[in-house]
Amino acid sequence: MRLHGRGRVLTLAAALLLAGCGFHLRGDLPGTPQEKTFFLTGINRSNPVYANFAQSLAAAGGTMAAKPGDARAIVNLVRVRHIRRPITLSAAGRANMFDLRLLVIFEVQNAKGDVLIPEKEIEVRREYFNTQGSPLGQGLEERQMREEMEKEAAQTLLRQVVFGLREAPPQPA
């Protein structure tokens, strides 16, 4: 498909607007390598949120610290919890629509234990309809939704930590 006249101008204008507003699809975190090092506590390394956070951090040019003293900030996950509840019932009295929520409560501290970002909450929600005709399909659909929610929560967590540290008052040395 070739763009002509007006389409070419609109595409160029959209590209310039996105470039000028600071929007970036991907990119490195600002700062030195030490400033891009985080330590995550409160959940097991086998938890999908941990793995997704580490992957998002690496994609942004940061690293996970081996121990808390090596990190710029310690992200303490106070709670990571999946919640599933029925929203509607079928005529037979079975749940046919569900609300899935992933709740992540966190705070950020420095190596000395000073709170840099007080406790905050991230909530990712999805709803899905269960046709009752394919229980196997329902399980697969729900598992896939949970995986996507975990990725979204980890990416949101990273963005909030980076932004919060940028806005936090400097800590005395």
Side-chain angles (χ1 to χ4, degrees):
M1 181 174 84
R2 248 181 98 176
L3 295 175
H4 297 286
R6 186 178 284 178
R8 210 177 289 173
V9 171
L10 289 174
T11 302
L12 181 60
L16 289 173
L17 284 172
L18 284 176
C21 76
F23 175 79
H24 300 285
L25 290 175
R26 289 202 169 108
D28 285 345
L29 295 172
T32 65
Q34 173 62 24
E35 292 173 333
K36 298 189 269 186
T37 305
F38 299 105
F39 187 80
L40 200 59
T41 66
I43 59 173
N44 194 319
R45 289 178 186 237
S46 64
N47 187 304
V49 173
Y50 184 99
N52 285 313
F53 182 86
Q55 185 178 22
S56 295
L57 181 60
T63 57
M64 295 291 286
K67 56 187 181 200
D70 296 340
R72 172 186 184 199
I74 300 164
V75 181
N76 181 28
L77 297 178
V78 177
R79 178 181 293 161
V80 176
R81 183 173 168 212
H82 280 280
I83 302 165
R84 177 183 186 253
R85 65 185 183 110
I87 299 174
T88 61
L89 301 175
S90 68
R94 290 191 162 162
N96 60 7
M97 188 168 219
F98 292 93
D99 177 45
L100 298 177
R101 295 187 315 163
L102 174 57
L103 180 67
V104 177
I105 300 173
F106 72 97
E107 75 173 4
V108 180
Q109 302 173 343
N110 63 15
K112 296 176 188 174
D114 301 322
V115 175
L116 303 175
I117 301 173
E119 207 170 271
K120 292 180 88 173
E121 181 178 303
I122 297 170
E123 183 179 55
V124 180
R125 296 180 85 151
R126 299 285 187 277
E127 293 179 357
Y128 76 96
F129 185 75
N130 173 15
T131 62
Q132 307 279 329
S134 175
L136 183 59
Q138 175 198 354
L140 293 173
E141 180 182 10
E142 185 172 324
R143 184 173 47 197
Q144 185 176 13
M145 288 177 127
R146 286 178 185 257
E147 289 171 2
E148 291 300 319
M149 292 167 68
E150 290 160 348
K151 285 178 188 175
E152 183 179 333
Q155 291 168 353
T156 302
L157 175 63
L158 178 60
R159 284 191 304 269
Q160 287 198 13
V161 168
V162 169
F163 180 77
L165 289 174
R166 221 181 284 152
E167 300 296 314
Q171 297 294 315

